[in-house]
Amino acid sequence: MAKLKIGICGWGNVATGLYEQLTNGNELYSDWEISCIGARRDNPRCNPGSVKILRDIFDVVKEDVDILIELIGGVETARDLISEALNSGKHVVTANKAVIFEHGEELIKLARKNNVRLLFESAVCAGTPTIKMLSNDLSANKISKVAGMLNGTTNFILSNMQEGASYADVLKEAQDNGYAEPDPTLDVNGTDAAHKIGILSALAFNTGLPSPEFYIEGIEEIKSQDFIYAEDFNFTIKHLAVAKLSTGGIELRSHPVMLDINSSLAGLKGVRNGIQFDTDLLGAFHVAGSGAGRESTASGLISDLHALSKSNEVSPMNYPDFSNKPNILNFNDLTFKFYVYLEVKDEPGVLALISKTFADHNISFDKVIQKDQLQNGSVPLVIFTDPTIESEMQIALEGLADHPEVLNSKIIRIEDL
Ligand code: HSE
C-alpha cells in the first residue's frame, strides 16, 4: 500500500511536537510519510532531518501530499491556506480553533464540494477526545448543556493561584511550557475558550457556528484573595465556557465562575481541561484530560490522521446543519447566583445603602460576611446572592459605584453543574 503523504505547515511548538511523535519509530505511523514542511524559519528545537523544507507555506499545497496539516495559527492566512489545500483535493487537519470558529462553515462546505475532509479534533481540548466523540459517539443523545474548562493556560494559572502562586509568575510558566497561544491575551481574556465553546455548541445543538457577539470575560481580575473567600463557602474559581439549550434559544458564554469544590470539574488542576455534557440517554457525561501542549495536541492531530487513513468513503465525523442558525439569548436576561465582592469605607450606614440598592433591584442576599479591615482602612464585604437577573445586578453595581463609600466591586457568577 502506498504511504500516506503528509505536508506540515508551521514549525512552532505544536508542529515540532507532531514531527517528533511521527518520527519516533512507532510502527503505528509506519504507513505515513512526512513529505515536506512549510516553515518560514528554522526552529532550533527540532532538526527535520532530510525532510524537504519550503519557506513559502503555500508551496506545500503544490507538493504531492495527501494531507495538509495546518499549524500556522491565526485566522486569515490560515483560511487562505486551508482553502487552497481543499481546492487542490487535499484533506486538511488543523488544530486552529480560531479559523474553525470564524470560517468553519465555509471551509467545511469547500471540503464537501471537493470531496475531501477537514478535521479539527485538537482545536478543542487538544488531544482529549471531544470533537469526533461529540459528533459521532454521542450522536444518539439529545444534549441540553455543555459546560467546560476549555483553556489549559487559564486552568493552569487559576489552579496554581489557588495554591498561592502569583498570576504573572504562573502565566510565564504556562508560556514556557508551550500551553499559551503566541499571544496569551487570547487565553486569559476568555477568547480562546469562547472559540471552542462556539464550535462545541454548533456540534451539540446541530446549528451553524455562532457569531462572536456573546458574553466573554477573562481571568485578569481574579485575585488570590477571591480563592480564600470562595473556599470559606466551599467554592473554587474556574474559567468555564457554557452552551445551554434554554427556552427560545441557546445560552452561550465564556467567563470565570465559582464552582462547588466537590463538583466534577472543580478538582481538575494544571493544564487539564474538562467538560460536562448533560444528555438524555447517558445523563451527565464527563471527559477530562490534558488540554494544551505539544504532546497532547499531537495526540489529537494523530487521531485525525488515523481517521483519514481509515476512511476513504465515509466522513470520519458528522458536521452540523449549518442552515440551522443559532439564536443566542441575550446575556443580560440570564439569571445567576452571584458572588459579590465590595470594598467599602468603614462608616455607619454603608451596609444599609448596599441593602437598599440591592433590594431596589430585587437582589436578595443568601449570605453576607464582613471581613477584617484592609491596610487602607476599607472593609471587604462578601455577598452571595439568590438567583438574580444579570441586568439587575449590573444596574445595582453601577448605582453603587456612584457612592464614594463604595471603593471597589467585583462579581463572579456561581455555576451549578
Ligand atoms: N492555548 C490553548 C490553551 C492551547 O491553553 O488551552 C490549546 O488550545
Side-chain angles (χ1 to χ4, degrees), residues 3 25 35 122 128 150 159 204 228 302 327 349 361 401 409:
K3 289 203 175 202
S35 302
S122 43
T128 299
L150 301 181
S159 55
I228 297 171
I302 290 170
N327 177 31
H361 294 281
S409 72

Side-chain angles (χ1 to χ4, degrees), residues 366-378:
D366 181 31
K367 300 176 192 85
V368 186
I369 300 98
Q370 179 172 323
K371 295 286 180 180
D372 292 341
Q373 215 177 48
L374 300 174
Q375 274 175 351
N376 65 4
S378 64

Side-chain angles (χ1 to χ4, degrees), residues 24-43:
N24 69 3
N26 186 331
E27 54 180 60
L28 271 178
Y29 319 133
S30 59
D31 288 340
W32 307 345
E33 171 184 292
I34 301 175
S35 302
C36 58
I37 294 167
R40 290 184 181 126
R41 59 191 75 84
D42 293 340
N43 186 335

